Amino acid sequence: MTKVPGPIKTFSHTLPGQHLYHGVLFFGFSPPETLDAVRDFQVKSDDVFLVTYPKAGTTWMQEIVWLLLNDANFSLAASSPVYMRSPFLEFKDDTLQEVGLDIANALPSPRVIKTHLPKKLMPEQTFEKKPKVIVLFRNPKDVCCSYYNFYKSSSSFGDFQGDWPEFLEMFLEGHVDHGSWFDFTKSWWPMRDATNFRFVFYEAMKINLLEEIKQLAAFLGKTNLSPETLSKVAEHCSFESMKVNPMTNHEDVYSIDSSVSPLLRKGTVGDWKNYFTVQQNEEFDQRYKKEMADLIPTIPFKFSFDDDVNT
């Protein structure tokens, strides 16, 4: 049994190489020495960091931003998986030959770099060099459901045999890779007014992807891209397109069993309603209000399109 930060609770599931780093739980693919090296990573002022909690639409945003920064070079995008064009900074997989720090260091500028880290564990130069930072938020109920399916399909998290109620409790207590969603979210929200930051909501992208892409292009200074080009980027980056695109669907990744659950599974808003019981939903809402009570202003998450439920 494993103890985790916060309330004293134990869980049967253990991540491969599980360890705590500055109070945050990580799997073995983000080992302590890599997390140490991330702190010393040499940031460039023209870098673009994509900051997300796992399963918040990361791959979607990676493809969009890479295409915008590379003048919608679809042919180049078709020649290399997105995880090699936009490295996962704190990730190290020797089998896959995917070492985020090495890939990032070898990339030409401007670099698009993905991370799931809370603010306190970011490279120290992030706040000195002031690169552009895009923070993508998704409502936590859908994040939790998506993460549950990912846990079941990916060997990176071990042979998870738990059920939905167990995983929900693990998620609430931060006993998942990259730790507490609450801590991650609260660490980044205060940066929303910084001029080099842009906060984007997954649900807004689902409502009007083209408009969000236009705003991202403006934030990135890509005023040379025509409306027609931006429309092509939106079409290329639709969920349906990315799900069948071998450069974005991760079906080549040995650790993901797509027959259990593909990386790009549904891409919907409100799927949590298919998982949460009434009691679980009430308990989640109570925990959310307690954890997020001090945030001013509150984060305008949209939990559903059906009944316009917002928090």
Side-chain angles (χ1 to χ4, degrees):
M1 306 293 275
T2 306
K3 292 185 178 181
V4 295
I8 304 300
K9 294 200 176 184
T10 57
F11 298 95
S12 59
H13 183 70
T14 301
L15 292 163
Q18 176 176 301
H19 64 101
L20 283 174
Y21 185 86
H22 292 265
V24 180
L25 191 72
F26 287 96
F27 59 1
F29 294 93
S30 296
E33 61 272 18
T34 293
L35 293 167
D36 285 340
V38 164
R39 303 300 303 280
D40 296 326
F41 178 68
Q42 297 297 300
V43 175
K44 300 178 182 179
S45 59
D46 61 355
D47 284 337
V48 178
F49 283 91
L50 307 182
V51 175
T52 72
Y53 189 80
K55 306 309 295 179
T58 315
T59 304
W60 197 11
M61 185 61 79
Q62 284 175 279
E63 187 74 353
I64 290 169
V65 172
W66 188 91
L67 283 168
L68 292 177
L69 285 179
N70 288 274
D71 296 325
N73 191 333
F74 297 108
S75 60
L76 188 56
S79 67
S80 176
V82 67
Y83 54 80
M84 300 303 289
R85 291 179 277 122
S86 172
F88 183 0
L89 187 62
E90 65 270 21
F91 189 73
K92 181 182 181 182
D93 185 339
D94 293 324
T95 300
L96 197 62
Q97 294 187 325
E98 183 185 350
V99 181
L101 285 164
D102 292 346
I103 299 170
N105 282 321
L107 284 178
S109 296
R111 303 180 296 186
V112 183
I113 301 170
K114 155 192 167 180
T115 182
H116 294 319
L117 292 174
K119 180 173 174 282
K120 70 180 182 180
L121 300 184
M122 286 289 285
E124 293 181 2
Q125 291 186 353
T126 305
F127 307 99
E128 301 168 10
K129 299 291 184 67
K130 295 189 175 180
K132 286 186 167 61
V133 181
I134 297 169
V135 181
L136 178 61
F137 280 165
R138 184 184 189 185
N139 85 70
K141 293 178 185 179
D142 280 335
V143 165
C144 185
C145 294
S146 185
Y147 212 175
Y148 168 61
N149 283 283
F150 195 31
Y151 250 67
K152 291 194 299 180
S153 68
S154 176
S155 63
S156 297
F157 304 114
D159 184 23
F160 179 66
Q161 297 295 315
D163 57 13
W164 162 247
E166 180 182 359
F167 185 84
L168 175 58
E169 188 172 12
M170 288 165 55
F171 180 85
L172 287 170
E173 299 304 326
H175 184 77
V176 289
D177 174 50
H178 278 75
S180 166
W181 176 90
F182 296 108
D183 291 346
F184 169 90
T185 303
K186 289 187 289 186
S187 78
W188 286 110
W189 185 236
M191 300 301 297
R192 65 193 175 279
D193 293 327
T195 56
N196 62 315
F197 275 71
R198 176 158 182 80
F199 281 68
V200 182
F201 287 88
Y202 180 98
E203 295 77 17
M205 293 171 66
K206 294 294 295 186
I207 292 171
N208 192 335
L209 179 59
L210 180 56
E211 179 58 30
E212 293 299 317
I213 287 174
K214 288 177 180 177
Q215 293 186 32
L216 284 167
F219 172 70
L220 296 169
K222 298 301 294 184
T223 56
N224 60 308
L225 299 178
S226 69
E228 293 76 19
T229 298
L230 295 178
S231 293
K232 289 179 181 179
V233 172
E235 181 179 354
H236 174 91
C237 293
S238 69
F239 183 82
E240 294 73 20
S241 175
M242 290 188 60
K243 190 176 177 69
V244 299
N245 181 350
M247 295 299 103
T248 57
N249 62 21
H250 288 60
E251 290 188 0
D252 62 322
V253 177
Y254 74 95
S255 59
I256 300 174
D257 186 347
S258 295
S259 68
V260 175
S261 180
L263 180 81
L264 303 180
R265 188 176 57 93
K266 285 188 176 180
T268 59
V269 176
D271 189 43
W272 62 268
K273 294 182 179 182
N274 297 315
Y275 291 82
F276 280 74
T277 65
V278 172
Q279 182 178 350
Q280 287 170 346
N281 189 45
E282 291 174 350
E283 291 173 352
F284 191 101
D285 287 347
Q286 290 174 359
R287 180 65 176 270
Y288 181 95
K289 289 177 181 177
K290 178 182 177 181
E291 293 280 354
M292 312 296 269
D294 295 334
L295 288 190
I296 300 175
T298 57
I299 305 177
F301 284 116
K302 182 177 285 290
F303 289 84
S304 172
F305 292 154
D306 297 333
D307 50 11
D308 201 32
V309 175
N310 295 274
T311 294

